[in-house]
Amino acid sequence: MPHLTVEYTDNLAGLPGQQLLAELNAVVCGHTTVQDEADVKARLLPLSCFEIGTAPAQRGFVHVQLRLLSGRSDAVKKELSDAMAAVLHRLTPQPPGMLVQLSVEIADMDRASYYKGRL
Amino acid sequence: MPHLTVEYTDNLAGLPGQQLLAELNAVVCGHTTVQDEADVKARLLPLSCFEIGTAPAQRGFVHVQLRLLSGRSDAVKKELSDAMAAVLHRLTPQPPGMLVQLSVEIADMDRASYYKGRL
Amino acid sequence: MPHLTVEYTDNLAGLPGQQLLAELNAVVCGHTTVQDEADVKARLLPLSCFEIGTAPAQRGFVHVQLRLLSGRSDAVKKELSDAMAAVLHRLTPQPPGMLVQLSVEIADMDRASYYKGRL
């Protein structure tokens, strides 16, 4: 059931989107708390209209949100977050003169009401 | 105030997006915990860049997230989730050879700080 | 670390998207709980496929979601929400005959597992 969403500002030309998703999925699927690799569902959202802070500077960001069914420990969440951050640092391009921020957020999904099925 | 977001991978050709939103809205509006039908705000987001798991298989998914002001019981949430799942099962196309996953997530929004108004 | 997401139905022709983000950022950056203005990351998402309620009426909406690291008081959240709502009321166009709903949601992000870095 993990849901992974990657947003990036589209001034980060050359960001290898599909590879980024594949490597983040590998991190999540490789973790012992995930049982079926097919469960990890990742999507990439390029952002064409954005605003970062208030100063007139050249800025960009990549943000990952991973949503997991509630119940994982803080330690597991921190491990996943750090491992995904390492992928971001490796794959995000650095345009000259741009301040690029990277962030990873782990969120719980309510387990009691979650529905999961297949056609 | 309910906010409904439907994401689907765009390899699910023929998914009747507008009808899907209309039928999901009918489920939510029909529930006794929703007072004004105009409050239910649904949007459809096609995903053109996605990655499901790590195996090289043909896969797709539809995911519904319903955000409600905090305070609903687990039973109400489960009822809404199951009723929306039934709509997904009825309306999602099954492309030959594709594993299609369906999921529904119910999330709370913080009631104390929520703002709601009209022009 | 604040993440700001503005969604609007694209029947709200003339909505000044970039200005809306800039003014919302100014509200958030100006608050005493935010230390570095560069941290506020805002994005605008136009919605081309949506459904509001079940009645056949002309309707639109603008929804703001602000995600903050957990720990802010209810009073701070309410202040931010109201200040952002005032910006929405000032900048959202009113097409003739359309019911336009405005809403602001404040959500917590898990502080313990949040990753933040720069290239």
Side-chain angles (χ1 to χ4, degrees):
Chain A
M1 44 58 223
H3 284 278
L4 206 153
T5 302
V6 180
E7 296 173 294
Y8 72 100
T9 56
D10 70 359
N11 56 358
L12 292 169
L15 179 123
Q18 202 75 42
Q19 185 188 354
L20 186 54
L21 293 187
E23 297 208 15
L24 291 170
N25 271 15
V27 164
V28 178
C29 291
H31 203 274
T32 52
T33 64
V34 174
Q35 275 145 24
D36 183 352
E37 55 83 26
D39 274 351
V40 184
K41 294 175 268 294
R43 55 283 239 173
L44 184 75
L45 304 178
L47 305 170
S48 58
C49 185
F50 55 89
E51 192 80 24
I52 305 173
T54 54
Q58 211 197 341
R59 294 168 171 175
F61 72 84
V62 185
H63 180 64
V64 173
Q65 186 194 56
L66 176 67
R67 298 202 310 282
L68 298 165
L69 286 183
S70 44
R72 265 73 178 190
S73 69
D74 280 0
V76 162
K77 290 179 188 171
K78 186 68 184 141
E79 253 177 58
L80 282 166
S81 179
D82 286 345
M84 290 192 289
V87 174
L88 292 187
H89 275 279
R90 190 155 40 79
L91 294 182
T92 305
Q94 166 70 74
M98 187 185 295
L99 170 67
V100 180
Q101 301 184 57
L102 307 176
S103 51
V104 181
E105 167 192 1
I106 314 274
D108 276 345
M109 299 187 292
D110 181 53
R111 185 181 286 269
S113 58
Y114 194 79
Y115 172 85
K116 168 182 163 179
R118 295 183 174 190
L119 278 192
Chain B
M1 43 59 221
H3 284 279
L4 207 153
T5 303
V6 180
E7 297 173 294
Y8 72 99
T9 56
D10 70 359
N11 56 0
L12 291 170
L15 180 123
Q18 202 75 42
Q19 185 189 354
L20 186 54
L21 293 187
E23 297 208 15
L24 291 170
N25 271 14
V27 164
V28 178
C29 291
H31 203 274
T32 51
T33 64
V34 174
Q35 274 145 24
D36 182 353
E37 56 84 25
D39 273 352
V40 183
K41 293 176 267 293
R43 55 283 237 174
L44 184 75
L45 304 177
L47 304 170
S48 58
C49 185
F50 55 89
E51 191 80 24
I52 305 173
T54 54
Q58 211 197 341
R59 293 169 171 173
F61 72 84
V62 184
H63 180 64
V64 173
Q65 186 193 58
L66 176 67
R67 298 202 310 283
L68 298 165
L69 287 183
S70 44
R72 265 72 179 191
S73 70
D74 279 0
V76 162
K77 291 179 187 170
K78 187 65 184 144
E79 253 177 57
L80 282 167
S81 178
D82 287 346
M84 290 191 290
V87 173
L88 292 186
H89 275 279
R90 190 154 40 78
L91 294 183
T92 306
Q94 166 70 75
M98 187 185 295
L99 171 66
V100 180
Q101 301 184 58
L102 308 176
S103 51
V104 181
E105 167 192 1
I106 314 275
D108 276 345
M109 298 188 293
D110 180 53
R111 185 180 286 270
S113 58
Y114 194 79
Y115 172 84
K116 169 182 162 179
R118 295 184 173 189
L119 278 193
Chain C
M1 41 60 220
H3 284 278
L4 206 154
T5 302
V6 180
E7 297 173 292
Y8 72 99
T9 55
D10 70 359
N11 56 0
L12 291 170
L15 179 123
Q18 202 75 42
Q19 184 189 355
L20 186 55
L21 293 188
E23 298 208 15
L24 291 170
N25 270 15
V27 164
V28 178
C29 291
H31 203 274
T32 51
T33 65
V34 174
Q35 274 144 25
D36 183 352
E37 55 83 25
D39 274 351
V40 184
K41 293 176 267 293
R43 55 284 237 173
L44 184 75
L45 305 177
L47 305 170
S48 59
C49 185
F50 56 88
E51 191 80 24
I52 304 174
T54 54
Q58 212 198 340
R59 293 167 172 176
F61 71 84
V62 185
H63 180 64
V64 173
Q65 186 194 57
L66 176 68
R67 298 202 309 284
L68 298 166
L69 287 183
S70 44
R72 265 72 178 190
S73 70
D74 280 0
V76 162
K77 290 179 187 171
K78 187 66 185 143
E79 253 177 57
L80 282 166
S81 179
D82 286 346
M84 291 191 290
V87 173
L88 292 187
H89 276 279
R90 189 154 40 79
L91 294 183
T92 306
Q94 167 68 74
M98 188 185 295
L99 171 67
V100 181
Q101 300 184 57
L102 307 176
S103 51
V104 181
E105 168 193 359
I106 314 274
D108 276 346
M109 298 187 293
D110 181 53
R111 185 181 286 271
S113 57
Y114 194 80
Y115 172 84
K116 169 182 164 179
R118 295 183 173 191
L119 278 193

